[in-house]
């Protein structure tokens, strides 16, 4: 479970001010500093993740170990990361720690906004949110989650969304390579009546991961 901040999400998803006017779903939220910080700014933000079933106490204990594990993985694979956006490992850790604190506090304050759920099923009504942001789940773990799972997950996020689904990144965590089934998956989604586009974003950490996928239902 990782913890990313509002600043990281704003860059990864090229968020403009108007993008956050409606209801925003972070799926999978993890330790969503984004949702906590957005809510503090008055954004109607919620998150979905299977780990929310454990409650704030268990998650708070687990987060320190998860951050250390992430840092160790980055140190062991230093050639696969670029620091232009963060500036330094210290700045990244600082953002993560702040995001983690904001998440735990918001989870305690607004538990109803953190929904325990596993893709490809979301317990939300059709068209009930305006923007879905999906960071570091789809494509990231494509060595374990196959094309059919991705198709079902994207179809489900599009079902609950009146506006746009944005997914970042489009490369695998294991080797930083593009997902081989991306083209075929986009063809299938277009066949379901979804409009798909790949857009460059002003963020890069995994070398070469500079693009998000946007998916919208034709209305
Ligand atoms: C690497 S974390 C990313 C969290 C957050 N979006 C971020 O960018 O920091 C991946 C998250 O996906 C969640 N997850 C795993 N399987 C899932 C599923 N089937 N549906 C929804 N979330 C899932 C995990 O619990 C974990 O919190």
């Amino acid at each position: 479970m990782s913890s990313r901040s509002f600043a990281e999400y704003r860059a990864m998803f090229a968020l403009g001010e108007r993008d956050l006017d409606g209801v925003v779903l972070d799926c999978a939220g993890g330790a969503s500093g984004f949702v906590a910080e957005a809510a503090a700014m008055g954004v109607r933000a919620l998150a979905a993740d299977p780990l929310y079933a454990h409650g704030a106490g268990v998650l708070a204990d687990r987060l320190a170990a998860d951050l250390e594990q992430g840092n160790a993985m980055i140190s062991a694979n230093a050639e696969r990361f670029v620091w232009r956006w963060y500036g330094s490992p210290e700045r990244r850790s600082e953002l993560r720690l702040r995001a983690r604190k904001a998440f735990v506090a918001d989870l305690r304050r607004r538990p109803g906004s953190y929904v325990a759920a596993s893709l490809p099923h979301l317990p939300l009504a059709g068209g009930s949110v305006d923007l879905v942001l999906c960071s570091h789940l789809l494509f990231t773990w494509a060595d374990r989650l196959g094309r059919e799972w991705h198709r079902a997950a994207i179809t489900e996020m599009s079902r609950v969304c009146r506006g746009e689904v944005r997914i970042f990144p489009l490369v695998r965590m294991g080797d930083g390579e593009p997902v081989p089934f991306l083209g075929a998956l986009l063809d299938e989604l277009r066949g379901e009546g979804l409009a798909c586009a790949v857009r460059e974003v002003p963020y890069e950490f995994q070398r070469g991961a500079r693009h998000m996928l946007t998916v919208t239902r034709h209305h």
Side-chain angles (χ1 to χ4, degrees), residues 139 141-143 145-151 172 178-188:
F139 306 118
W141 304 111
D143 50 344
L145 301 163
R147 176 167 131 197
E148 270 314 305
W149 184 88
H150 280 73
R151 179 181 176 173
R172 296 183 290 218
V179 176
F181 58 69
L182 182 63
L185 176 65
L186 298 191
D187 287 345
E188 286 176 348

Side-chain angles (χ1 to χ4, degrees), residues 19 22-24 49 76 79 82 101 103 154 218:
D19 286 331
V23 178
V24 183
D49 196 295
E79 73 291 349
V82 290
K101 269 194 198 149
F103 162 72
I154 293 174
H218 294 297

Side-chain angles (χ1 to χ4, degrees), residues 20-35:
L20 302 179
D21 282 353
V23 178
V24 183
L25 170 67
D26 182 3
C27 177
S32 183
F34 164 75
V35 163

Side-chain angles (χ1 to χ4, degrees), residues 23-65:
V23 178
V24 183
L25 170 67
D26 182 3
C27 177
S32 183
F34 164 75
V35 163
E37 291 176 68
M41 294 170 196
V43 176
R44 287 168 291 160
L46 69 155
D49 196 295
L51 288 178
Y52 299 152
H54 295 298
V58 173
L59 293 183
D61 286 347
R62 182 188 158 140
L63 280 168

Side-chain angles (χ1 to χ4, degrees), residues 32 44 47 55 63-64 69 77 127 132 142 152 156 171 180 183 185 188 203 212 214:
S32 183
R44 287 168 291 160
L63 280 168
Q69 201 183 337
N77 297 282
V132 177
E156 178 67 349
V171 301
L185 176 65
E188 286 176 348
Y203 174 90
M212 70 171 168
T214 66

Side-chain angles (χ1 to χ4, degrees), residues 25-29 47-54 114-124 137-138 145 149 152-154 156-157 159-160:
L25 170 67
D26 182 3
C27 177
D49 196 295
L51 288 178
Y52 299 152
H54 295 298
Y114 293 87
V115 180
S118 273
L119 286 170
H121 301 293
L122 295 174
L124 299 173
L137 172 62
L138 272 68
L145 301 163
W149 184 88
I154 293 174
E156 178 67 349
M157 290 191 283
R159 179 187 69 77
V160 304

Side-chain angles (χ1 to χ4, degrees), residues 1-4 9 28-30 49-51 117-119 135-137 149:
M1 179 182 241
S2 50
S3 184
R4 288 187 170 84
Y9 267 51
D49 196 295
L51 288 178
S118 273
L119 286 170
S135 151
H136 294 87
L137 172 62
W149 184 88

